[in-house]
Amino acid sequence: MICSEYTLESEALCTDCRKKLRPCGNSFYLCHNEEKYLVWSVFYYSNIVKELIIRLKYKSDFMCGEILAKHMLEFVKSNKLQFDLIAYVPMTKKSQKSRGYNQSEFLANYLSRFLNIPVICNLIKTMDTKDQIGLSGEDRWSNMEKCFEVKENKFMQNKNILIVDDVITTGATAFHCASKLKESGINNVCILTIAKSKV
Ligand SMILES: [Zn+2]
C-alpha cells in the first residue's frame, strides 16, 4: 500500500514507498511475424506500482499519475532514449468517454512537456479488445490487429516514434500499435511502459 504521504510532497513518494519500487533495468524485443520492436519498462509490476497505476487509471488520481510520469521522464533521460515523436496506446471513443481521459495519453503529454517533443495522436482504436474470451494465443494476437488504425500524416514519415503505455503484459496491444505505425512510414518504433507484468 502507498502511505498517504505522497500527497504532501509534490510528485514524489516517501522514502519507504520508494524502496518498494522495483526498477526494471533491461529492455527486450517484442517479436511477432518477423517484426520486432524494442520495449523498455521503468518498473516491474510490484504491488506499489500496481496501486499507483490503478489510481491513475480508474480513480482520476493525477498526483499518482505525475509520480509515475516523473519516473518515466527520468528513465528516458538516464537511458538516453532518442525519438522525434511520442505516441500513446489509444482507447476507443466509447471507453475514453466513460473514463474521461486516457492514462497513456496523460503520460505521453507529461513527457512531451518536459522533453519538448510533440505528441502525435493519430493512432486510433476502433474496437474494444475485451471481447476476446474464447480466443486463445495466436487468435487473440491476430484478432487484435483489427482494433487499431493509423491516420496517416506526412509529418511522421521517416520519424522515430516512442509509444507510451502503462503496463505491458503479453505485448499484443503495443505490438499492433507499433506495427500499424511502422506500416504507415515510420522509420523506427520503440515502446516504453511504466511497468512490465508477467504473462
Ligand atoms: Zn510512503
Side-chain angles (χ1 to χ4, degrees):
M1 282 289 280
I2 307 163
C3 69
S4 56
E5 274 180 49
Y6 78 95
T7 48
L8 302 176
E9 205 185 331
S10 127
E11 296 180 40
L13 294 168
C14 78
T15 321
D16 286 341
C17 289
R18 233 175 298 163
K19 277 183 197 153
K20 295 178 199 157
L21 296 169
R22 293 176 54 221
C24 176
N26 41 351
S27 56
F28 71 99
Y29 277 103
L30 194 53
C31 303
H32 187 68
N33 288 345
E34 293 174 14
E35 288 175 56
K36 62 175 194 175
Y37 301 103
L38 189 58
V39 182
W40 290 280
S41 297
V42 183
F43 298 116
Y44 288 106
Y45 199 46
S46 62
N47 288 339
I48 190 153
V49 171
K50 188 174 177 178
E51 194 184 334
L52 287 165
I53 290 173
I54 286 172
R55 287 196 196 189
L56 165 64
K57 199 165 171 176
Y58 301 110
K59 297 176 182 170
S60 310
D61 188 334
F62 298 108
M63 177 74 77
C64 283
E66 295 224 349
I67 291 171
L68 291 171
K70 200 176 181 186
H71 281 285
M72 209 174 214
L73 177 67
E74 275 159 19
F75 185 92
V76 168
K77 287 181 176 170
S78 62
N79 290 278
K80 300 189 169 64
L81 308 191
Q82 302 287 327
F83 43 90
D84 310 307
L85 295 169
I86 304 169
Y88 54 87
V89 171
M91 291 165 71
T92 59
K93 259 189 193 164
K94 192 180 156 205
S95 304
Q96 183 146 357
K97 202 172 173 191
S98 74
R99 189 177 300 165
Y101 59 97
N102 174 342
Q103 73 285 352
S104 298
E105 184 180 8
F106 174 89
L107 296 169
N109 285 336
Y110 186 98
L111 291 184
S112 173
R113 189 159 17 114
F114 290 96
L115 295 169
N116 206 15
I117 293 174
V119 173
I120 189 153
C121 313
N122 62 340
L123 262 171
I124 295 158
K125 194 170 184 189
T126 51
M127 223 191 301
D128 266 311
T129 28
K130 286 170 205 151
D131 306 321
Q132 295 206 102
I133 302 153
L135 296 176
S136 61
E138 197 61 22
D139 290 341
R140 213 176 258 247
W141 267 86
S142 45
N143 188 61
M144 202 176 280
E145 194 191 339
K146 294 176 277 182
C147 298
F148 297 99
E149 275 176 19
V150 168
K151 259 200 234 159
E152 294 209 20
N153 182 335
K154 284 226 169 66
F155 184 62
M156 53 181 230
Q157 296 296 312
N158 302 315
K159 294 284 200 307
N160 301 309
I161 288 202
L162 181 79
I163 302 178
V164 170
D165 201 7
D166 50 1
V167 185
I168 190 156
T169 308
T170 65
T173 302
F175 177 87
H176 287 300
C177 289
S179 182
K180 294 279 173 181
L181 284 171
K182 186 77 185 167
E183 239 175 57
S184 65
I186 291 295
N187 178 48
N188 189 42
V189 186
C190 293
I191 297 149
L192 174 63
T193 70
I194 289 290
K196 182 175 189 281
S197 170
K198 288 191 201 103
V199 179

